[in-house]
């Protein structure tokens, strides 16, 4: 089955601490992988993407992610979080059909940064 | 560049009614996809339009239909609304292949009462 699984529904963390948001994908999902952030009452903003090449991907706002094919994982990390990072984070994979693709999303992880 | 724009931002409808949501893609983009995001859930793919045709469809009933216009803008129509259709409806656009980044609009919050 095509699936993307985010292993933590909520991650509380103190400001300036490091954080990791975990994401696993099924083998039927392509290796076009994405992390999006959603602030309250807003749409989705792309943080970073993996299409090919280096397994360590750097994105906006100091976030990075590591693609691990053997573990079918694409975990998101930030070495030091800020209050403003409090938001919902979604991992997504592209499921390909011919020359088209649709995004399959995980259930989301709520990152709550505490002062 | 205005990015992806959706209208309206909020909408309240009664069960059994019909609704039309609109989306203008980012400049230069020719592919539009629609997603439904229920409260506390990740977005679910509804369908995708390219060259004015539905190219791919998710697991949604026929009550959900769409259209793409020659200027690449798109509409999502939902007939016979159910309470369970209450959700944030997101439009995403990209250019051509699935390797390109999808840009999302702010969404339309639909409440069915």
């Amino acid at each position: 089955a095509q699936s993307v699984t985010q292993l933590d529904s909520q991650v509380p963390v103190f400001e300036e601490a490091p954080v990791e948001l975990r994401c696993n994908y099924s083998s039927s999902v392509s290796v076009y992988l994405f992390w999006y952030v959603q602030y309250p009452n807003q749409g989705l903003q792309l943080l970073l993407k993996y299409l090919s090449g280096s397994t360590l991907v750097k994105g906006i706002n100091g976030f990075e992610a590591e693609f691990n094919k053997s573990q079918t994982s694409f975990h998101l990390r930030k070495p030091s979080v800020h209050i403003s990072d409090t938001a919902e984070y979604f991992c997504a994979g592209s499921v390909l059909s011919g020359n088209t693709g649709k995004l399959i999303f995980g259930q989301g992880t709520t990152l709550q940064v505490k002062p | 560049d205005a990015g992806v724009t959706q209208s309206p931002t909020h909408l309240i409808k009664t069960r059994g009614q019909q609704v039309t949501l609109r989306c203008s893609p980012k400049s230069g983009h020719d592919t539009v996809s629609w997603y439904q995001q229920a409260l506390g859930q990740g977005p679910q793919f509804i369908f995708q339009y390219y060259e004015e045709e539905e190219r791919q469809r998710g697991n949604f009933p026929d009550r959900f239909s769409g259209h793409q216009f020659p200027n690449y803008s798109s509409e999502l129509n939902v007939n016979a609304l159910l309470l369970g259709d209450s959700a944030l409806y997101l439009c995403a656009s990209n250019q051509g292949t699935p390797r390109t980044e999808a840009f999302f609009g702010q969404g339309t919050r639909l409440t069915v009462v």
Side-chain angles (χ1 to χ4, degrees):
Chain A
Q2 303 163 345
S3 66
V4 172
T5 303
Q6 292 182 241
L7 302 175
D8 307 289
S9 59
Q10 294 187 0
V11 174
V13 63
F14 287 104
E15 193 174 18
E16 298 183 6
V19 71
E20 178 180 80
L21 306 184
R22 297 179 295 167
C23 173
N24 286 353
Y25 63 93
S26 67
S27 57
S28 57
V29 173
S30 79
V31 293
Y32 298 160
L33 299 167
F34 308 85
W35 275 98
Y36 285 88
V37 60
Q38 186 176 39
Y39 298 102
N41 301 313
Q42 293 191 24
L44 302 177
Q45 180 184 6
L46 182 72
L47 281 176
L48 48 79
K49 59 186 176 186
Y50 175 81
L51 302 180
S52 64
S54 173
T55 57
L56 184 62
V57 180
K58 294 190 182 298
I60 63 171
N61 300 342
F63 284 94
E64 62 181 33
E66 185 158 16
F67 169 69
N68 188 317
K69 187 174 181 179
S70 63
Q71 297 187 2
T72 60
S73 68
F74 189 55
H75 300 334
L76 180 71
R77 303 185 182 100
K78 186 170 183 177
S80 175
V81 295
H82 303 288
I83 296 289
S84 60
D85 292 324
T86 295
E88 191 78 12
Y89 291 79
F90 292 96
C91 181
S94 186
V95 175
L96 304 181
S97 176
N99 64 345
T100 74
K102 64 181 180 183
L103 292 174
I104 300 292
F105 286 87
Q107 293 289 81
T109 297
T110 302
L111 175 61
Q112 186 176 22
V113 182
K114 303 176 180 180
Chain B
D1 184 0
V4 180
T5 58
Q6 293 186 242
S7 63
T9 54
H10 295 83
L11 203 52
I12 300 175
K13 289 287 188 178
T14 303
R15 277 178 298 173
Q17 284 189 315
Q18 179 265 345
V19 68
T20 297
L21 311 181
R22 295 176 176 82
C23 171
S24 293
K26 182 178 171 64
S27 178
H29 287 182
D30 56 12
T31 301
V32 173
S33 302
W34 287 92
Y35 292 82
Q36 180 195 66
Q37 185 180 16
L39 200 60
Q41 304 290 320
Q44 299 285 323
F45 175 78
I46 303 175
F47 42 53
Q48 182 180 91
Y49 278 86
Y50 173 73
E51 292 188 342
E52 302 180 51
E53 290 191 357
E54 184 181 290
R55 190 159 69 171
Q56 199 173 174
R57 188 178 182 91
N59 188 25
F60 279 80
D62 292 344
R63 298 186 298 109
F64 289 76
S65 63
H67 189 77
Q68 185 179 35
F69 299 94
N71 66 353
Y72 307 119
S73 66
S74 177
E75 288 182 350
L76 164 66
N77 300 292
V78 187
N79 294 322
L81 284 167
L82 304 173
L83 295 179
D85 294 332
S86 295
L88 181 67
Y89 288 85
L90 295 165
C91 172
S93 74
N94 65 304
Q95 186 178 22
T97 78
R99 288 178 59 88
T100 61
E101 172 187 346
F103 287 79
F104 283 81
Q106 298 288 82
T108 294
R109 173 72 63 187
L110 172 65
T111 302
V112 182
V113 298

